[in-house]
Amino acid sequence: MGDVQKKLQELSDSYQTFQGELSTAVEARQKLESQQQENSTVKKEFDILEDDANIYKQIGPVLLKQDKTEAVMAVNGRLEFIDKEIKRIEKQITDIQNKAESVKTEIIQIQSSAQQSQQQAVAA
Amino acid sequence: MASKQQQQQQGGQIDLAQLPIPQLRDLKSQLDAELTHLSTSFQSLRTAQSKFRDCITSLTSAFPAPPKSPSPPLLVPLTSSLYVPGKLTDREHVLVDVGTGYFVEKKIDDAKDFYERKVKDLGESLKDLEGVVEGKARNVRMVEEVMRVKVMSAQSAEAQAQGEGKSD
């Protein structure tokens, strides 16, 4: 019985760590999503802008003038990067989910077998 | 869209009646968490929308419609408690924050147009989100209902079992 309990404790601990990892990954995913949203609205804004429009980039408290092509390139680069990051995190999330799921089934198995043996003991 | 939602709901209903109480409880807490998250998002979208509306009002008051009319008196904050009188040298352009640290020089009308577009976009998002929130609230109510029925039937079954035990 002690062995089973110990194993169960270990499994539930690891399940909890997986849950923690999952929520951090999901948080990161959400943050990326909002960044992607913001960058794509900026890109849309640049798209309808005249080519000779004055664009300034904020660096610290200072506004520096920047070429439109340069700004567009920077935003596109960011979008590409965010896209890749989202794919990476997404994979991470599915990995963690799979691991957590397998741990969960193991826990359920152990619990149900323990229950069964208990019932048998009671019946005997 | 509506028919799809209905289908999903019907599917949910069938599943709900078969779920045991602990799982229903899990489902409810999950739905509750989603609902709070969505409501907070709704609130922040509202705030953002009203901020953009403020921008439009500021533009209208700082740059009255006939462009030749004199600039309204202006006090520029140097600190939060020290102001100096100022005058606008450029009455035709403003710098608009388009996000991610980029500012674009725009004509007054274009800037107003920009903010109006933002308000409209946010209004659409708000409408979408409202639908989602309503759907979630409906789901929560449904789960609660099924849970109540289950708990009650479990209690009455227990009472019956006890009653039988006594009569024996």
Side-chain angles (χ1 to χ4, degrees), chain A residues 38-39 42 45 48-49 54-58 63 66 71 74 78, chain B residues 37 95 97-106 114 117-118 121:
Chain A
E38 196 176 355
N39 275 290
V42 175
E45 200 49 43
I48 57 170
L49 227 53
N54 288 328
I55 295 175
Y56 299 85
K57 180 158 180 25
Q58 190 176 35
L63 293 181
Q66 208 172 35
R78 275 194 219 158
Chain B
H37 177 72
L95 273 179
D97 183 357
V98 293
T100 67
Y102 282 106
F103 287 71
V104 176
E105 198 174 285
K106 280 177 179 293
F114 170 82
R117 220 168 46 232
K118 285 268 172 196
D121 285 353

Side-chain angles (χ1 to χ4, degrees), chain A residues 15 17 26 30 47 65 71 77 98 117:
Chain A
Y15 185 71
T17 19
V26 168
Q30 274 166 353
D47 283 346
K65 197 163 174 186
N98 285 340
S117 60

Side-chain angles (χ1 to χ4, degrees), chain B residues 26 56 61 71 88 95 101-102 130 138 142 156 159 166:
Chain B
D26 283 354
I56 298 177
S61 59
S71 157
L88 293 172
L95 273 179
Y102 282 106
E130 206 180 343
R138 230 180 0 245
M142 221 149 65
S156 69
K166 270 181 199 151

Side-chain angles (χ1 to χ4, degrees), chain A:
Chain A
M1 196 63 204
D3 264 7
V4 174
Q5 222 139 42
K6 213 170 134 195
K7 177 101 173 113
L8 213 57
Q9 188 61 44
E10 266 171 35
L11 283 174
S12 78
D13 280 353
S14 69
Y15 185 71
Q16 237 139 41
T17 19
F18 281 139
Q19 288 295 326
E21 278 174 36
L22 190 66
S23 64
T24 13
V26 168
E27 238 166 70
R29 168 85 175 71
Q30 274 166 353
K31 213 168 139 197
L32 281 170
E33 179 105 35
S34 63
Q35 281 173 349
Q36 189 185 39
Q37 188 83 23
E38 196 176 355
N39 275 290
S40 58
T41 51
V42 175
K43 184 178 150 68
K44 255 190 251 156
E45 200 49 43
F46 282 166
D47 283 346
I48 57 170
L49 227 53
E50 319 255 335
D51 275 338
D52 59 350
N54 288 328
I55 295 175
Y56 299 85
K57 180 158 180 25
Q58 190 176 35
I59 297 164
V62 187
L63 293 181
L64 279 182
K65 197 163 174 186
Q66 208 172 35
D67 260 4
K68 194 195 167 191
T69 43
E70 214 176 309
V72 167
M73 243 162 53
V75 171
N76 282 345
R78 275 194 219 158
L79 277 172
E80 234 169 81
F81 175 75
I82 291 169
D83 232 26
K84 266 188 220 146
E85 278 293 291
I86 285 182
K87 283 207 186 96
R88 194 177 66 84
I89 297 274
E90 205 107 279
K91 201 183 156 291
Q92 214 178 327
I93 288 175
T94 33
D95 276 359
I96 296 171
Q97 271 173 340
N98 285 340
K99 277 186 211 156
E101 197 56 39
S102 73
V103 172
K104 198 174 161 186
T105 38
E106 213 173 326
I107 289 175
I108 290 171
Q109 261 172 8
I110 291 179
Q111 271 178 341
S112 65
S113 73
Q115 237 165 27
Q116 253 172 19
S117 60
Q118 219 169 30
Q119 271 167 2
Q120 271 168 1
V122 169

